Amino acid sequence: MKTYYDIRRMGAGIVFFFIFLFFCGCESRMPPLPGRVSLLDTIYKSGLTGYAIDSVYTELAYDLSGKNIRLKALRKGIIGASSGSNSVTWKSEEAVISYGSGYADIIYSYKGIRSEIVLNESYFAESVISRYSDGALHSNVDYTYNAWGYLDRVRVERPGQEAVVIIYKYPNPEAENVNDILIEEHPGPTVYRITLTAKGGSGAERQDNDAYVCNVLRFGNAPVTNEYVINPDLYYLGLYGIPWHHLPGEEVEKNALTGKPAVVRVGSHRYFY
């Protein structure tokens, strides 16, 4: 009888061993990233309906028909310096987004340029190839991210020009006394700095990027980054890694909307709800 129970125990052990292997073998290829947010869900819940950079206004049109929230179109117009989003002179052309079209995961088209976006396993942009309407190459951009999920290194190729490598250096997410993001463009390097301490504040005072509506990396005023790397529309798809959680050191205006604070202006960037 003892042998019979020993065999049963051995059999049970083998079964549990294979169950263990099954569950371990089914782990996702990449573990959840610290601070991971679903940017589209976050901005949709905040009530964000559009944003303006200087005088160019973009209205966000959400697609709620599927399992996940998507952006389906981005209407463009010109907004006055003190006007609300209800007084926009609309342009005839929209920025159009489509999903899962052949080789690319996302297609973005605007102003005669078509961008094919391939995503990595974390659903961040891995490469973006942009072409003019005649098929000529506009740019080829490759992206990598660090262990925290922040945009880390980018290589930009443009016809007839030397390739540019851009490196992003961040404060330690757990540190409270480091206030700058650095953007280095190589060859050079030329260094651009984004200060995260609010103007008028004291010490290391910071303001939160509520609902992550502010596209912080564009505040480095780095020409290659702003023109080729960080498309302000695609930022809201969550394509450039985990968004930075503190606002840049610009003049910031916040209002209490829907019962919670909302960023309505950072420098010349305005946000509408």
Side-chain angles (χ1 to χ4, degrees):
M1 292 294 292
K2 183 176 185 299
T3 304
Y4 170 76
Y5 287 113
D6 287 342
I7 292 172
R8 287 189 63 185
R9 282 197 295 269
M10 183 183 300
I14 293 171
V15 170
F16 283 118
F17 175 73
F18 280 105
I19 290 173
F20 172 80
L21 285 182
F22 173 80
F23 282 106
C24 289
C26 290
E27 282 186 342
S28 60
R29 291 164 61 196
M30 176 172 283
L33 292 165
R36 180 67 187 261
V37 298
S38 174
L39 186 55
L40 264 177
D41 286 349
T42 302
I43 63 170
Y44 174 74
K45 290 175 182 176
S46 77
L48 187 72
T49 56
Y51 71 93
I53 299 178
D54 298 319
S55 63
V56 178
Y57 176 76
T58 300
E59 180 184 72
L60 307 177
Y62 298 97
D63 180 357
L64 307 178
S65 62
K67 182 179 178 181
N68 299 311
I69 297 173
R70 288 180 167 182
L71 286 180
K72 59 183 177 182
L74 302 116
R75 190 160 61 144
K76 301 285 185 177
I78 302 298
I79 189 171
S82 58
S83 300
S85 59
N86 60 345
S87 57
V88 176
T89 302
W90 296 106
K91 298 181 178 180
S92 59
E93 186 180 10
E94 291 185 342
V96 178
I97 298 173
S98 60
Y99 299 87
S101 179
Y103 166 75
D105 295 298
I106 299 174
I107 304 292
Y108 173 88
S109 301
Y110 184 55
K111 285 188 173 180
I113 297 177
R114 171 188 167 95
S115 298
E116 298 182 345
I117 302 152
V118 175
L119 306 180
N120 67 11
E121 57 193 357
S122 293
Y123 300 98
F124 301 149
E126 182 174 89
S127 69
V128 178
I129 299 177
S130 299
R131 298 184 184 278
Y132 295 102
S133 55
D134 63 359
L137 182 66
H138 171 271
S139 57
N140 184 8
V141 187
D142 295 316
Y143 301 78
T144 62
Y145 304 84
N146 65 19
W148 290 92
Y150 298 118
L151 184 61
D152 178 68
R153 184 180 185 275
V154 177
R155 178 182 172 86
V156 180
E157 296 179 358
R158 296 164 289 173
Q161 300 187 47
E162 183 177 5
V164 175
V165 173
I166 304 169
I167 297 172
Y168 300 85
K169 296 183 178 180
Y170 303 90
N172 183 326
E174 297 177 349
E176 291 299 327
N177 58 352
V178 180
N179 294 315
D180 295 336
I181 296 173
L182 300 181
I183 302 175
E184 296 181 357
E185 291 187 358
H186 298 260
T190 304
V191 180
Y192 303 90
R193 184 181 301 271
I194 302 172
T195 300
L196 300 173
T197 301
K199 288 182 178 178
S202 59
E205 179 183 346
R206 295 175 177 179
Q207 297 200 49
D208 289 336
N209 186 8
D210 297 318
Y212 301 98
V213 298
C214 180
N215 185 349
V216 174
L217 291 183
R218 287 187 64 87
F219 283 83
N221 296 318
V224 179
T225 287
N226 282 10
E227 186 172 353
Y228 295 95
V229 177
I230 305 290
N231 181 315
D233 292 342
L234 299 181
Y235 166 80
Y236 291 100
L237 292 177
L239 298 190
Y240 300 120
I242 292 179
W244 194 255
H245 48 289
H246 293 299
L247 293 173
E250 305 284 327
E251 292 184 6
V252 174
E253 181 181 348
K254 291 188 178 185
N255 284 344
L257 301 170
T258 64
K260 54 188 176 183
V263 179
V264 295
R265 186 173 65 84
V266 180
S268 63
H269 295 208
R270 289 179 285 163
Y271 308 94
F272 300 87
Y273 301 83

